[in-house]
Amino acid sequence: MKNFTTVNKHDDSLFILIKSLTKSEKRQFNLYVSRLDGNTDAKFFALFKFLDKQKYYNEKDILDKGIVSKQQLSNLKSHLYKQILTSLRLNPQHKNIRIQIREQLDFATILYQKGLYKQSLKILEKTKKVALDYEEKYLAQEIIELEKVIENQYITRSISSRADELTLQAKEVSQLNVITSKLSNLSLQLYSLLLKRGYVKSDEELEEINSYFEARMPDYEFEKLGFREKLWLYKAHLWRSFLTQDFLQSYKYSNKWVDLFQDDPKNIQTHPVFYLKGKNYFLESLFFLKHYAKFKSELDCFEKEIANNEIVMNSNTEMLSFLYLYSNKLHLHFLEGTFAEGEYLVDIINKKINEYEDRLDNHHIVILYYKIGCLYFGAGNYKKTIEYLSKIINSKNLKVGDDLQCFARILSLIAHYEYGLDYDLERQFKDTYKFLLQMKNLQAVQKIFIESIRNLSDLYPHEFKKEFKRVYNVLQPYEHHPYEKRAFLYLDILSWLESKIENKPVAFIIKSKLP
């Protein structure tokens, strides 16, 4: 299990790259190095073999080994890094369409520089068609620009019609690239706002986000948009819907995103990362809407796609597939109330976190820990709940969003209460309340709930149920409030209160709500 209290020992870029290599890629690198006489004895190869055997990066061990002096180490590492990337570039597994197009463009450039204009134009024409077929319009624009340069020097009888053709093509591609750039900028800016500020919390913020969105949305004719332009358009709308907590719109645009790929399956193979992200947002939207039947059906399909290798698998997509599949498997158990049945997922998730620790960012690990804490809470295992939430609360090296930190603390407080840790409850309450007061955007739901937990210490046990009913009645109207409902996405407070009122397990309450 990843320990966030110590400095990550895998923070050297070269070491991380070497540790990410598969057996096949290491074999390929050995063959690549041995292709020329003398390379097998080279210092960079000795450094590679040494680092490959190490569990942690330690510069002192390298120097003690006598491979290289301290003054030369930096240059040797840079050289080795470049050689590994060159080897990976030659590996057929990494020959995606973009690399293939760039390779042909490089070949055409070499031919042009040798004055072999006709041969260069022939390659460019074929490569341009591939680039346009696969929606690689930025590369297509590069190709067109080189074609124009060559046509200016290679005079033919068809130069007049050729000039018109290239000029028109350049204009069309350029205009679409401008639209793509503006849409991708908007999408990125909205995502940044979500990370910095969280969901909208008032009518003023809603108006601000909508105005921001409309002001930066470029003019376009939908019929002229290709796959790439539509993808960024749907992304921009999706991020606005998440910011504004309009989950019906999230469902609409994530569905359009996925359909875009399924209408032309070759794009799933060409852009597997975008497809995986689209599937995840689609499933998340269904989860937020609590559309159980559709969610379960789509999750089953997603799992089959991965199992049947319908999505290109590499180091990146394997990690994302794990992250998205298992996050949504946890969501399924939350919707069903089958918390105890989902505990088998914890060992699998922890094993994968350790496997991908150099590439999986802390933000996603924290979210997994919070969800595992929720799983154990629903199963009634409060000791484990506290253990996983403590990883979030007590960490000094994590950048955790206020919302998640807040609800981790509240859930931990409830778990201490349920676990009977009365001696620690007062301290937990003070720490939680102190943290909440420091939050700039404390919500009504958070204020009400934390005060209710505090009030329990002043009541006799036979008065608890009455207090739970009071709090339930106060909180219930907020469940569908446009700016307060986000609290219920992190923690199903109402179901817990119902479980205390009816004296039944929270899992039973949630199961009873299934359609």
Side-chain angles (χ1 to χ4, degrees), residues 152-207:
N152 271 325
Q153 298 179 40
Y154 182 58
I155 307 300
T156 67
R157 291 182 180 179
S158 60
I159 185 62
S160 178
S161 60
R162 181 72 173 146
D164 291 341
E165 177 190 330
L166 286 175
T167 302
L168 179 61
Q169 201 170 45
K171 182 180 178 181
E172 290 174 351
V173 171
S174 176
Q175 287 174 341
L176 288 172
N177 281 340
V178 169
I179 291 173
T180 298
S181 180
K182 289 182 177 180
L183 288 171
S184 62
N185 287 344
L186 176 57
S187 176
L188 183 62
Q189 288 162 340
L190 291 171
Y191 180 56
S192 176
L193 284 173
L194 182 61
L195 293 179
K196 289 177 184 175
R197 295 166 48 176
Y199 300 111
V200 296
K201 305 167 189 69
S202 64
D203 289 340
E204 292 76 17
E205 287 190 10
L206 177 63
E207 177 60 31

Short mmCIF file of all heavy atoms in Angstrom, two decimals, residues 152-207:
data_model
loop_
_atom_site.label_atom_id
_atom_site.label_comp_id
_atom_site.label_asym_id
_atom_site.label_seq_id
_atom_site.Cartn_x
_atom_site.Cartn_y
_atom_site.Cartn_z
N ASN A 152 6.26 25.36 -55.25
CA ASN A 152 6.85 26.65 -55.63
C ASN A 152 8.18 26.48 -56.38
O ASN A 152 8.63 27.37 -57.08
CB ASN A 152 7.10 27.52 -54.39
CG ASN A 152 5.88 28.37 -54.07
OD1 ASN A 152 5.18 28.82 -54.97
ND2 ASN A 152 5.60 28.54 -52.80
N GLN A 153 8.80 25.31 -56.19
CA GLN A 153 10.11 25.08 -56.81
C GLN A 153 10.04 24.06 -57.95
O GLN A 153 10.84 24.10 -58.86
CB GLN A 153 11.10 24.57 -55.74
CG GLN A 153 11.32 25.57 -54.63
CD GLN A 153 12.29 25.04 -53.58
OE1 GLN A 153 13.28 24.41 -53.92
NE2 GLN A 153 12.01 25.32 -52.32
N TYR A 154 9.07 23.15 -57.84
CA TYR A 154 8.95 22.07 -58.82
C TYR A 154 7.85 22.44 -59.81
O TYR A 154 6.68 22.16 -59.63
CB TYR A 154 8.64 20.76 -58.11
CG TYR A 154 8.54 19.55 -59.02
CD1 TYR A 154 9.61 19.17 -59.83
CD2 TYR A 154 7.37 18.78 -59.04
CE1 TYR A 154 9.52 18.07 -60.65
CE2 TYR A 154 7.27 17.67 -59.85
CZ TYR A 154 8.34 17.31 -60.66
OH TYR A 154 8.26 16.21 -61.47
N ILE A 155 8.21 23.14 -60.87
CA ILE A 155 7.24 23.68 -61.83
C ILE A 155 6.72 22.59 -62.75
O ILE A 155 7.48 21.85 -63.38
CB ILE A 155 7.87 24.80 -62.68
CG1 ILE A 155 8.50 25.87 -61.76
CG2 ILE A 155 6.84 25.43 -63.60
CD1 ILE A 155 7.52 26.53 -60.82
N THR A 156 5.37 22.47 -62.77
CA THR A 156 4.73 21.53 -63.69
C THR A 156 3.64 22.26 -64.46
O THR A 156 3.24 23.37 -64.09
CB THR A 156 4.09 20.34 -62.94
OG1 THR A 156 3.00 20.84 -62.16
CG2 THR A 156 5.10 19.67 -62.01
N ARG A 157 3.10 21.62 -65.48
CA ARG A 157 2.04 22.24 -66.28
C ARG A 157 0.73 22.37 -65.48
O ARG A 157 -0.14 23.16 -65.82
CB ARG A 157 1.79 21.42 -67.54
CG ARG A 157 2.96 21.48 -68.53
CD ARG A 157 2.65 20.69 -69.78
NE ARG A 157 3.76 20.74 -70.74
CZ ARG A 157 3.76 20.11 -71.90
NH1 ARG A 157 2.71 19.38 -72.27
NH2 ARG A 157 4.81 20.21 -72.71
N SER A 158 0.61 21.55 -64.44
CA SER A 158 -0.63 21.58 -63.65
C SER A 158 -0.52 22.53 -62.46
O SER A 158 -1.34 22.47 -61.55
CB SER A 158 -0.95 20.17 -63.14
OG SER A 158 0.10 19.70 -62.31
N ILE A 159 0.51 23.39 -62.45
CA ILE A 159 0.75 24.24 -61.29
C ILE A 159 -0.44 25.13 -60.95
O ILE A 159 -0.74 25.37 -59.78
CB ILE A 159 2.03 25.09 -61.50
CG1 ILE A 159 2.36 25.90 -60.23
CG2 ILE A 159 1.86 26.02 -62.68
CD1 ILE A 159 2.67 25.04 -59.03
N SER A 160 -1.18 25.61 -61.96
CA SER A 160 -2.31 26.52 -61.71
C SER A 160 -3.41 25.83 -60.92
O SER A 160 -3.85 26.31 -59.88
CB SER A 160 -2.87 27.05 -63.03
OG SER A 160 -3.97 27.88 -62.78
N SER A 161 -3.89 24.69 -61.42
CA SER A 161 -4.95 23.95 -60.73
C SER A 161 -4.44 23.40 -59.39
O SER A 161 -5.18 23.34 -58.41
CB SER A 161 -5.45 22.81 -61.60
OG SER A 161 -4.39 21.91 -61.91
N ARG A 162 -3.18 23.02 -59.37
CA ARG A 162 -2.59 22.47 -58.15
C ARG A 162 -2.53 23.54 -57.07
O ARG A 162 -2.80 23.28 -55.89
CB ARG A 162 -1.19 21.96 -58.47
CG ARG A 162 -0.44 21.35 -57.31
CD ARG A 162 -1.01 20.00 -56.95
NE ARG A 162 -0.17 19.36 -55.95
CZ ARG A 162 -0.64 18.57 -54.99
NH1 ARG A 162 -1.95 18.34 -54.91
NH2 ARG A 162 0.18 18.01 -54.13
N ALA A 163 -2.19 24.76 -57.46
CA ALA A 163 -2.12 25.87 -56.51
C ALA A 163 -3.49 26.16 -55.91
O ALA A 163 -3.63 26.35 -54.69
CB ALA A 163 -1.57 27.11 -57.19
N ASP A 164 -4.52 26.16 -56.77
CA ASP A 164 -5.88 26.40 -56.28
C ASP A 164 -6.32 25.30 -55.32
O ASP A 164 -6.94 25.57 -54.28
CB ASP A 164 -6.86 26.46 -57.47
CG ASP A 164 -6.66 27.69 -58.32
OD1 ASP A 164 -6.03 28.65 -57.82
OD2 ASP A 164 -7.12 27.70 -59.49
N GLU A 165 -5.99 24.07 -55.69
CA GLU A 165 -6.38 22.92 -54.86
C GLU A 165 -5.73 23.00 -53.48
O GLU A 165 -6.40 22.82 -52.45
CB GLU A 165 -5.97 21.63 -55.58
CG GLU A 165 -6.24 20.36 -54.78
CD GLU A 165 -5.59 19.15 -55.44
OE1 GLU A 165 -5.45 19.12 -56.67
OE2 GLU A 165 -5.22 18.23 -54.68
N LEU A 166 -4.42 23.27 -53.45
CA LEU A 166 -3.70 23.33 -52.18
C LEU A 166 -4.14 24.53 -51.33
O LEU A 166 -4.24 24.43 -50.11
CB LEU A 166 -2.19 23.40 -52.42
CG LEU A 166 -1.51 22.11 -52.87
CD1 LEU A 166 -0.04 22.36 -53.20
CD2 LEU A 166 -1.62 21.04 -51.79
N THR A 167 -4.39 25.65 -51.99
CA THR A 167 -4.83 26.84 -51.27
C THR A 167 -6.16 26.60 -50.57
O THR A 167 -6.35 26.95 -49.40
CB THR A 167 -4.95 28.04 -52.22
OG1 THR A 167 -3.69 28.28 -52.85
CG2 THR A 167 -5.40 29.29 -51.47
N LEU A 168 -7.12 26.00 -51.31
CA LEU A 168 -8.43 25.71 -50.75
C LEU A 168 -8.32 24.69 -49.61
O LEU A 168 -8.94 24.86 -48.55
CB LEU A 168 -9.36 25.17 -51.84
CG LEU A 168 -10.79 24.80 -51.40
CD1 LEU A 168 -11.50 26.03 -50.84
CD2 LEU A 168 -11.57 24.21 -52.57
N GLN A 169 -7.53 23.67 -49.83
CA GLN A 169 -7.36 22.62 -48.82
C GLN A 169 -6.71 23.19 -47.56
O GLN A 169 -7.13 22.88 -46.43
CB GLN A 169 -6.50 21.50 -49.40
CG GLN A 169 -6.64 20.18 -48.68
CD GLN A 169 -5.96 19.06 -49.45
OE1 GLN A 169 -4.83 19.20 -49.91
NE2 GLN A 169 -6.66 17.94 -49.59
N ALA A 170 -5.71 24.03 -47.75
CA ALA A 170 -5.02 24.66 -46.62
C ALA A 170 -5.99 25.52 -45.80
O ALA A 170 -5.96 25.51 -44.56
CB ALA A 170 -3.86 25.51 -47.10
N LYS A 171 -6.86 26.25 -46.50
CA LYS A 171 -7.82 27.11 -45.83
C LYS A 171 -8.81 26.30 -45.00
O LYS A 171 -9.10 26.62 -43.84
CB LYS A 171 -8.57 27.95 -46.87
CG LYS A 171 -9.58 28.93 -46.27
CD LYS A 171 -10.28 29.72 -47.36
CE LYS A 171 -11.33 30.65 -46.75
NZ LYS A 171 -12.06 31.41 -47.79
N GLU A 172 -9.34 25.21 -45.59
CA GLU A 172 -10.34 24.38 -44.89
C GLU A 172 -9.74 23.72 -43.65
O GLU A 172 -10.34 23.74 -42.57
CB GLU A 172 -10.88 23.31 -45.84
CG GLU A 172 -11.76 23.87 -46.95
CD GLU A 172 -12.16 22.81 -47.96
OE1 GLU A 172 -11.60 21.69 -47.89
OE2 GLU A 172 -13.03 23.09 -48.81
N VAL A 173 -8.55 23.14 -43.83
CA VAL A 173 -7.90 22.46 -42.70
C VAL A 173 -7.53 23.45 -41.61
O VAL A 173 -7.70 23.20 -40.42
CB VAL A 173 -6.66 21.67 -43.18
CG1 VAL A 173 -5.87 21.14 -42.00
CG2 VAL A 173 -7.08 20.52 -44.08
N SER A 174 -7.01 24.62 -42.03
CA SER A 174 -6.61 25.64 -41.07
C SER A 174 -7.80 26.13 -40.24
O SER A 174 -7.70 26.30 -39.02
CB SER A 174 -5.97 26.82 -41.81
OG SER A 174 -5.66 27.86 -40.92
N GLN A 175 -8.94 26.34 -40.89
CA GLN A 175 -10.14 26.81 -40.18
C GLN A 175 -10.60 25.78 -39.14
O GLN A 175 -10.98 26.13 -38.03
CB GLN A 175 -11.26 27.10 -41.18
CG GLN A 175 -11.03 28.36 -41.99
CD GLN A 175 -12.09 28.55 -43.08
OE1 GLN A 175 -12.78 27.61 -43.47
NE2 GLN A 175 -12.21 29.78 -43.56
N LEU A 176 -10.56 24.51 -39.52
CA LEU A 176 -10.96 23.46 -38.58
C LEU A 176 -9.97 23.35 -37.43
O LEU A 176 -10.36 23.09 -36.29
CB LEU A 176 -11.09 22.12 -39.31
CG LEU A 176 -12.29 21.99 -40.24
CD1 LEU A 176 -12.21 20.71 -41.07
CD2 LEU A 176 -13.60 22.02 -39.45
N ASN A 177 -8.69 23.57 -37.73
CA ASN A 177 -7.68 23.54 -36.66
C ASN A 177 -7.86 24.68 -35.67
O ASN A 177 -7.63 24.52 -34.47
CB ASN A 177 -6.27 23.58 -37.26
CG ASN A 177 -5.83 22.23 -37.80
OD1 ASN A 177 -6.38 21.19 -37.45
ND2 ASN A 177 -4.84 22.23 -38.68
N VAL A 178 -8.28 25.83 -36.18
CA VAL A 178 -8.55 26.97 -35.30
C VAL A 178 -9.72 26.65 -34.36
O VAL A 178 -9.66 26.91 -33.16
CB VAL A 178 -8.84 28.25 -36.11
CG1 VAL A 178 -9.39 29.36 -35.21
CG2 VAL A 178 -7.58 28.73 -36.82
N ILE A 179 -10.77 26.05 -34.92
CA ILE A 179 -11.93 25.66 -34.10
C ILE A 179 -11.51 24.65 -33.05
O ILE A 179 -11.88 24.76 -31.87
CB ILE A 179 -13.05 25.08 -35.00
CG1 ILE A 179 -13.65 26.18 -35.87
CG2 ILE A 179 -14.14 24.41 -34.16
CD1 ILE A 179 -14.64 25.68 -36.92
N THR A 180 -10.73 23.65 -33.46
CA THR A 180 -10.25 22.63 -32.52
C THR A 180 -9.44 23.27 -31.40
O THR A 180 -9.61 22.92 -30.22
CB THR A 180 -9.39 21.58 -33.24
OG1 THR A 180 -10.19 20.91 -34.21
CG2 THR A 180 -8.84 20.56 -32.26
N SER A 181 -8.56 24.17 -31.75
CA SER A 181 -7.72 24.83 -30.76
C SER A 181 -8.57 25.61 -29.75
O SER A 181 -8.32 25.52 -28.53
CB SER A 181 -6.73 25.78 -31.46
OG SER A 181 -5.91 26.43 -30.52
N LYS A 182 -9.56 26.33 -30.23
CA LYS A 182 -10.42 27.11 -29.33
C LYS A 182 -11.25 26.20 -28.43
O LYS A 182 -11.43 26.47 -27.24
CB LYS A 182 -11.32 28.04 -30.14
CG LYS A 182 -10.58 29.20 -30.79
CD LYS A 182 -11.53 30.12 -31.55
CE LYS A 182 -10.78 31.32 -32.14
NZ LYS A 182 -11.69 32.22 -32.89
N LEU A 183 -11.75 25.11 -28.99
CA LEU A 183 -12.56 24.17 -28.20
C LEU A 183 -11.72 23.44 -27.17
O LEU A 183 -12.15 23.24 -26.03
CB LEU A 183 -13.25 23.16 -29.12
CG LEU A 183 -14.41 23.70 -29.97
CD1 LEU A 183 -14.85 22.65 -30.99
CD2 LEU A 183 -15.59 24.10 -29.07
N SER A 184 -10.51 23.04 -27.56
CA SER A 184 -9.63 22.35 -26.60
C SER A 184 -9.18 23.30 -25.50
O SER A 184 -9.05 22.90 -24.34
CB SER A 184 -8.43 21.73 -27.32
OG SER A 184 -7.63 22.71 -27.94
N ASN A 185 -8.95 24.58 -25.87
CA ASN A 185 -8.60 25.59 -24.85
C ASN A 185 -9.75 25.75 -23.85
O ASN A 185 -9.53 25.80 -22.64
CB ASN A 185 -8.30 26.94 -25.50
CG ASN A 185 -6.97 26.96 -26.22
OD1 ASN A 185 -6.13 26.09 -26.00
ND2 ASN A 185 -6.78 27.93 -27.09
N LEU A 186 -10.96 25.84 -24.37
CA LEU A 186 -12.14 26.01 -23.52
C LEU A 186 -12.31 24.81 -22.60
O LEU A 186 -12.58 24.96 -21.39
CB LEU A 186 -13.38 26.21 -24.38
CG LEU A 186 -14.73 26.31 -23.64
CD1 LEU A 186 -14.70 27.45 -22.62
CD2 LEU A 186 -15.87 26.53 -24.64
N SER A 187 -12.16 23.62 -23.17
CA SER A 187 -12.29 22.40 -22.38
C SER A 187 -11.27 22.37 -21.24
O SER A 187 -11.60 22.07 -20.09
CB SER A 187 -12.10 21.18 -23.29
OG SER A 187 -12.12 19.99 -22.55
N LEU A 188 -10.03 22.71 -21.56
CA LEU A 188 -8.96 22.71 -20.55
C LEU A 188 -9.22 23.76 -19.48
O LEU A 188 -9.01 23.52 -18.28
CB LEU A 188 -7.62 22.96 -21.23
CG LEU A 188 -6.38 22.91 -20.34
CD1 LEU A 188 -6.21 21.53 -19.71
CD2 LEU A 188 -5.13 23.28 -21.14
N GLN A 189 -9.67 24.94 -19.89
CA GLN A 189 -9.94 26.01 -18.93
C GLN A 189 -11.08 25.65 -17.97
O GLN A 189 -11.02 25.94 -16.78
CB GLN A 189 -10.26 27.31 -19.68
CG GLN A 189 -9.04 27.93 -20.35
CD GLN A 189 -9.40 28.94 -21.44
OE1 GLN A 189 -10.51 28.94 -21.96
NE2 GLN A 189 -8.45 29.79 -21.78
N LEU A 190 -12.11 24.99 -18.49
CA LEU A 190 -13.24 24.58 -17.64
C LEU A 190 -12.80 23.51 -16.65
O LEU A 190 -13.20 23.52 -15.48
CB LEU A 190 -14.39 24.06 -18.51
CG LEU A 190 -15.12 25.10 -19.36
CD1 LEU A 190 -16.07 24.43 -20.34
CD2 LEU A 190 -15.89 26.09 -18.47
N TYR A 191 -11.97 22.58 -17.13
CA TYR A 191 -11.44 21.54 -16.24
C TYR A 191 -10.60 22.16 -15.13
O TYR A 191 -10.69 21.76 -13.96
CB TYR A 191 -10.61 20.55 -17.05
CG TYR A 191 -10.01 19.42 -16.24
CD1 TYR A 191 -10.82 18.59 -15.46
CD2 TYR A 191 -8.64 19.19 -16.26
CE1 TYR A 191 -10.26 17.56 -14.72
CE2 TYR A 191 -8.08 18.16 -15.51
CZ TYR A 191 -8.90 17.34 -14.75
OH TYR A 191 -8.35 16.33 -14.01
N SER A 192 -9.79 23.16 -15.49
CA SER A 192 -8.97 23.86 -14.51
C SER A 192 -9.84 24.56 -13.46
O SER A 192 -9.55 24.53 -12.26
CB SER A 192 -8.08 24.88 -15.21
OG SER A 192 -7.34 25.63 -14.29
N LEU A 193 -10.94 25.16 -13.91
CA LEU A 193 -11.87 25.83 -12.98
C LEU A 193 -12.49 24.82 -12.02
O LEU A 193 -12.66 25.11 -10.83
CB LEU A 193 -12.98 26.54 -13.76
CG LEU A 193 -12.60 27.85 -14.45
CD1 LEU A 193 -13.75 28.35 -15.32
CD2 LEU A 193 -12.24 28.91 -13.42
N LEU A 194 -12.82 23.64 -12.53
CA LEU A 194 -13.41 22.60 -11.68
C LEU A 194 -12.43 22.18 -10.59
O LEU A 194 -12.82 22.00 -9.43
CB LEU A 194 -13.81 21.39 -12.53
CG LEU A 194 -14.48 20.22 -11.79
CD1 LEU A 194 -15.79 20.68 -11.15
CD2 LEU A 194 -14.74 19.06 -12.73
N LEU A 195 -11.15 22.04 -10.96
CA LEU A 195 -10.14 21.63 -9.97
C LEU A 195 -9.87 22.74 -8.95
O LEU A 195 -9.68 22.46 -7.76
CB LEU A 195 -8.83 21.26 -10.68
CG LEU A 195 -8.87 20.01 -11.56
CD1 LEU A 195 -7.51 19.79 -12.22
CD2 LEU A 195 -9.26 18.77 -10.77
N LYS A 196 -9.86 23.99 -9.42
CA LYS A 196 -9.52 25.11 -8.53
C LYS A 196 -10.68 25.50 -7.62
O LYS A 196 -10.50 25.76 -6.43
CB LYS A 196 -9.11 26.33 -9.36
CG LYS A 196 -7.76 26.21 -10.05
CD LYS A 196 -7.50 27.44 -10.91
CE LYS A 196 -6.21 27.33 -11.70
NZ LYS A 196 -6.02 28.48 -12.61
N ARG A 197 -11.90 25.53 -8.20
CA ARG A 197 -13.03 26.11 -7.46
C ARG A 197 -14.11 25.11 -7.11
O ARG A 197 -14.99 25.41 -6.29
CB ARG A 197 -13.62 27.25 -8.28
CG ARG A 197 -12.66 28.41 -8.45
CD ARG A 197 -13.07 29.39 -9.52
NE ARG A 197 -14.46 29.79 -9.45
CZ ARG A 197 -15.02 30.71 -10.25
NH1 ARG A 197 -14.27 31.30 -11.16
NH2 ARG A 197 -16.28 31.02 -10.13
N GLY A 198 -14.08 23.94 -7.73
CA GLY A 198 -15.13 22.97 -7.47
C GLY A 198 -16.41 23.34 -8.19
O GLY A 198 -16.44 24.18 -9.10
N TYR A 199 -17.49 22.71 -7.78
CA TYR A 199 -18.79 22.94 -8.41
C TYR A 199 -19.30 24.35 -8.11
O TYR A 199 -18.90 24.98 -7.13
CB TYR A 199 -19.81 21.94 -7.89
CG TYR A 199 -19.48 20.50 -8.15
CD1 TYR A 199 -19.14 19.64 -7.11
CD2 TYR A 199 -19.51 19.98 -9.45
CE1 TYR A 199 -18.84 18.31 -7.35
CE2 TYR A 199 -19.22 18.66 -9.69
CZ TYR A 199 -18.88 17.82 -8.63
OH TYR A 199 -18.57 16.51 -8.87
N VAL A 200 -20.22 24.85 -8.95
CA VAL A 200 -20.82 26.17 -8.69
C VAL A 200 -21.64 26.10 -7.41
O VAL A 200 -22.25 25.08 -7.09
CB VAL A 200 -21.70 26.63 -9.87
CG1 VAL A 200 -20.87 26.84 -11.13
CG2 VAL A 200 -22.84 25.67 -10.14
N LYS A 201 -21.67 27.21 -6.67
CA LYS A 201 -22.30 27.21 -5.35
C LYS A 201 -23.37 28.28 -5.20
O LYS A 201 -23.92 28.45 -4.11
CB LYS A 201 -21.22 27.41 -4.28
CG LYS A 201 -20.10 26.38 -4.37
CD LYS A 201 -18.90 26.78 -3.52
CE LYS A 201 -17.72 25.86 -3.78
NZ LYS A 201 -17.13 26.05 -5.13
N SER A 202 -23.64 29.01 -6.29
CA SER A 202 -24.64 30.08 -6.20
C SER A 202 -25.11 30.45 -7.60
O SER A 202 -24.49 30.07 -8.60
CB SER A 202 -24.04 31.31 -5.52
OG SER A 202 -23.00 31.84 -6.32
N ASP A 203 -26.20 31.22 -7.66
CA ASP A 203 -26.70 31.71 -8.94
C ASP A 203 -25.67 32.58 -9.64
O ASP A 203 -25.53 32.54 -10.87
CB ASP A 203 -27.99 32.51 -8.74
CG ASP A 203 -29.17 31.63 -8.35
OD1 ASP A 203 -29.10 30.41 -8.61
OD2 ASP A 203 -30.15 32.16 -7.79
N GLU A 204 -24.93 33.35 -8.85
CA GLU A 204 -23.90 34.23 -9.42
C GLU A 204 -22.80 33.42 -10.10
O GLU A 204 -22.35 33.75 -11.20
CB GLU A 204 -23.30 35.13 -8.33
CG GLU A 204 -24.23 36.18 -7.75
CD GLU A 204 -25.26 35.59 -6.79
OE1 GLU A 204 -25.05 34.43 -6.30
OE2 GLU A 204 -26.27 36.26 -6.52
N GLU A 205 -22.36 32.36 -9.44
CA GLU A 205 -21.31 31.52 -10.01
C GLU A 205 -21.81 30.78 -11.25
O GLU A 205 -21.07 30.60 -12.21
CB GLU A 205 -20.80 30.52 -8.97
CG GLU A 205 -19.94 31.15 -7.90
CD GLU A 205 -19.25 30.10 -7.03
OE1 GLU A 205 -19.29 28.90 -7.38
OE2 GLU A 205 -18.66 30.47 -6.00
N LEU A 206 -23.08 30.38 -11.21
CA LEU A 206 -23.67 29.71 -12.38
C LEU A 206 -23.68 30.65 -13.57
O LEU A 206 -23.30 30.27 -14.69
CB LEU A 206 -25.09 29.24 -12.06
CG LEU A 206 -25.86 28.58 -13.22
CD1 LEU A 206 -25.16 27.30 -13.68
CD2 LEU A 206 -27.30 28.30 -12.81
N GLU A 207 -24.09 31.88 -13.35
CA GLU A 207 -24.13 32.88 -14.42
C GLU A 207 -22.72 33.17 -14.94
O GLU A 207 -22.50 33.32 -16.14
CB GLU A 207 -24.77 34.17 -13.90
CG GLU A 207 -24.81 35.31 -14.92
CD GLU A 207 -25.59 34.96 -16.17
OE1 GLU A 207 -26.55 34.17 -16.08
OE2 GLU A 207 -25.23 35.48 -17.26
#
